[in-house]
């Protein structure tokens, strides 16, 4: 008769599925789930999923690491199933596998890879210190009431102000009573400062 050992724990391994046949599914204290030979687990020949051999002692995995830092992550709560809740320096909170955290396989919420990816995109579209993607995006912010980027209503002066930013510099284009004149000033500035950069970008892509 088959002796179901589901729920029993041996060293760092808890049997979560025992259907007979000498093979069981187990969950390690580090959170890893794997299939093992039941006799090896019961006898103590196999004590973990292998995380101990990969450089961490059992006591490291079982003890609380709340408040400890691992790369950009700080553990803020210990969870069941070998997981922890950690806060990244960027502010994001992420639930991660504890063993992977201890072994250094996880060092952030993923913002490192995201930032690197965005950096590559930005660099690929940069000409003379200017991100051309920002130039091509002519959509004004939600707070803008003129409908044109770089043209803003200055209530204290009762006029429309036109400005433009190119190659890291802000250029003041003047104050206007008439909105259309402010828009025209902005358009002329785009032709002067943006068009040469966009033309150079087109040559770069070719």
């Amino acid at each position: 008769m088959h002796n179901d050992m589901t729920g029993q724990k041996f060293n760092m391994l808890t049997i979560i599925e025992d259907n007979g046949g000498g093979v069981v599914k187990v969950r390690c204290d580090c959170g890893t789930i794997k299939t093992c030979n039941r006799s090896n687990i019961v006898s103590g020949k196999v004590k973990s999923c292998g995380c101990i051999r990969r450089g961490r002692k059992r006591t490291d995995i079982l003890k609380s690491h709340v408040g400890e830092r691992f790369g950009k992550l700080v553990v803020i709560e210990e969870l069941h199933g070998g997981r922890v809740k950690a806060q990244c320096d960027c502010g994001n909170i992420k639930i991660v596998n504890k063993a992977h955290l201890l072994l250094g396989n996880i060092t952030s919420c993923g913002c490192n890879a995201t930032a690197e990816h965005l950096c590559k995109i930005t660099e690929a579209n940069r000409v003379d210190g200017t991100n051309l993607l920002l130039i091509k995006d002519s959509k004004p912010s939600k707070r803008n009431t003129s409908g044109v980027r770089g043209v803003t209503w200055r209530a204290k002066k009762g006029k429309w102000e036109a400005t433009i930013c190119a190659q890291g510099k802000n250029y003041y284009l003047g104050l206007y009573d008439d909105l259309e004149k402010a828009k025209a000033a902005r358009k002329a500035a785009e032709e002067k400062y943006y068009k040469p950069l966009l033309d150079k970008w087109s040559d770069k892509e070719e």
Side-chain angles (χ1 to χ4, degrees):
M1 182 177 179
H2 170 58
N3 178 24
D4 188 352
M5 302 184 73
T6 300
Q8 295 188 40
K9 185 173 183 178
F10 300 88
N11 294 293
M12 293 179 64
L13 299 173
T14 300
I15 297 175
I16 59 174
E17 188 177 314
D18 184 1
N19 297 320
V23 176
V24 294
K25 184 179 290 186
V26 298
R27 178 187 289 111
C28 182
D29 286 341
C30 74
T32 300
I33 295 176
K34 65 181 299 182
T35 301
C36 302
N37 184 292
R38 188 170 78 161
S39 62
N40 288 342
I41 295 172
V42 174
S43 66
K45 185 176 181 180
V46 177
K47 295 181 173 62
S48 74
C49 68
C51 57
I52 293 179
R53 294 195 304 272
R54 291 195 293 269
R56 285 284 174 176
K57 296 179 181 179
R58 178 183 178 184
T59 53
D60 290 333
I61 295 175
L62 295 182
K63 77 173 187 178
S64 173
H65 291 276
V66 172
E68 293 185 29
R69 172 177 289 275
F70 300 87
K72 296 179 67 175
L73 295 172
V74 175
V75 178
I76 59 176
E77 185 181 348
E78 293 277 345
L79 304 174
H80 297 295
R83 300 174 301 158
V84 295
K85 184 183 290 185
Q87 183 165 19
C88 184
D89 288 344
C90 73
N92 286 336
I93 293 178
K94 183 180 181 69
I95 295 175
V96 299
N97 182 292
K98 189 173 182 179
H100 291 171
L101 189 69
L102 296 176
L103 292 169
N105 297 333
I106 299 175
T107 58
S108 75
C109 68
C111 60
N112 283 342
T114 301
E116 183 179 348
H117 177 64
L118 290 175
C119 183
K120 289 181 179 179
I121 293 176
T122 300
E123 192 59 35
N125 296 286
R126 189 182 297 277
V127 174
D128 293 345
T130 301
N131 186 349
L132 277 298
L133 290 179
L134 296 179
I135 291 178
K136 293 188 71 177
D137 181 16
S138 60
K139 185 178 180 180
S141 68
K142 293 181 179 179
R143 294 181 298 176
N144 185 295
T145 57
S146 70
V148 176
R149 286 183 65 181
V151 177
T152 308
W153 174 251
R154 298 303 180 190
K156 289 184 178 181
K157 297 181 180 181
K159 296 179 182 292
W160 293 98
E161 181 184 76
T163 61
I164 193 169
C165 180
Q167 295 178 279
K169 295 181 180 180
N170 289 311
Y171 295 92
Y172 175 71
L173 307 175
L175 291 170
Y176 301 87
D177 294 318
D178 184 68
L179 175 58
E180 294 306 315
K181 290 183 179 179
K183 290 182 178 180
R186 168 71 187 200
K187 183 66 176 178
E190 290 179 0
E191 286 291 317
K192 178 180 179 180
Y193 296 109
Y194 287 173
K195 190 175 185 303
L197 296 175
L198 292 170
D199 289 343
K200 187 180 290 187
W201 191 30
S202 296
D203 295 337
K204 179 181 175 181
E205 287 186 320
E206 292 175 0

